[in-house]
Amino acid sequence: MPAQIKFCRRILRAYLESGHSVHVDIRRMEGRELLACLIAEIIAAPNARLMARCVDFVFSLGVQLGMSETEIAELEGLTKATASNYCVHLKKVYRDDKPAPGMKSREAVAKYKELRTGRSSRGPRQEWPFAHAFKNAYANN
């Protein structure tokens, strides 16, 4: 029996690590199955504690008393984009891409993406003004 368990664990781990995206019809899942899928998400995540916090946020479980994505990220010492990435993954897989309370609507995400397309937070790259002088002075050493 232990050999079979190890074999199943290896298969499950390989499947999860391969990055397969599975669309889950949450309406057809019973509580135990859904719980098992969410626990698997938490175990497979590179940052399990962050994933657990995001599960709480996306499913409005209330364990963290309504903490936002920004607050979750600050608590974990990460950027909001990292927390948002986890939440968006959960939203797509388990909520049929329907945003959770506290997340941007689909329309807002589309509009923001449209406004940001082709823009950068910094200007175009410019050559360092002292590059030639620096190269001439120190390139031979």
Side-chain angles (χ1 to χ4, degrees), residues 74-123:
E74 287 174 359
L75 192 62
E76 292 294 321
L78 303 166
T79 63
K80 183 186 177 294
T82 304
S84 180
N85 187 31
Y86 277 60
C87 292
V88 167
H89 166 74
L90 291 168
K91 174 185 80 164
K92 286 181 181 177
V93 173
Y94 295 99
R95 294 183 52 96
D96 195 27
D97 212 20
K98 180 183 169 198
M103 294 179 82
K104 292 178 184 165
S105 67
R106 293 177 192 163
E107 295 79 21
V109 170
K111 184 68 176 175
Y112 183 75
K113 183 178 180 181
E114 177 186 321
L115 291 172
R116 294 295 301 159
T117 301
R119 296 185 179 188
S120 176
S121 59
R122 61 182 173 171

Side-chain angles (χ1 to χ4, degrees), residues 16-128:
L16 292 173
E17 289 174 356
S18 68
H20 282 86
S21 177
V22 180
H23 179 72
V24 178
D25 188 1
I26 194 169
R27 293 168 294 207
R28 298 181 69 200
M29 294 181 80
E30 293 184 22
R32 186 178 174 106
E33 290 176 296
L34 177 59
L35 180 61
C37 287
L38 292 175
I39 296 294
E41 289 281 354
I42 292 168
I43 291 170
N47 187 336
R49 187 172 54 206
L50 175 62
M51 180 60 84
R53 291 182 191 279
C54 290
V55 165
D56 176 58
F57 174 75
V58 171
F59 289 96
S60 303
L61 300 176
V63 175
Q64 302 173 106
L65 303 174
M67 203 179 279
S68 69
E69 286 181 19
T70 304
E71 293 169 329
I72 291 170
E74 287 174 359
L75 192 62
E76 292 294 321
L78 303 166
T79 63
K80 183 186 177 294
T82 304
S84 180
N85 187 31
Y86 277 60
C87 292
V88 167
H89 166 74
L90 291 168
K91 174 185 80 164
K92 286 181 181 177
V93 173
Y94 295 99
R95 294 183 52 96
D96 195 27
D97 212 20
K98 180 183 169 198
M103 294 179 82
K104 292 178 184 165
S105 67
R106 293 177 192 163
E107 295 79 21
V109 170
K111 184 68 176 175
Y112 183 75
K113 183 178 180 181
E114 177 186 321
L115 291 172
R116 294 295 301 159
T117 301
R119 296 185 179 188
S120 176
S121 59
R122 61 182 173 171
R125 293 186 180 186
Q126 297 177 353
E127 185 177 341
W128 184 42

Side-chain angles (χ1 to χ4, degrees), residues 1-9:
M1 187 72 161
Q4 293 169 337
I5 292 172
K6 287 180 184 178
F7 178 71
C8 289
R9 282 183 184 163

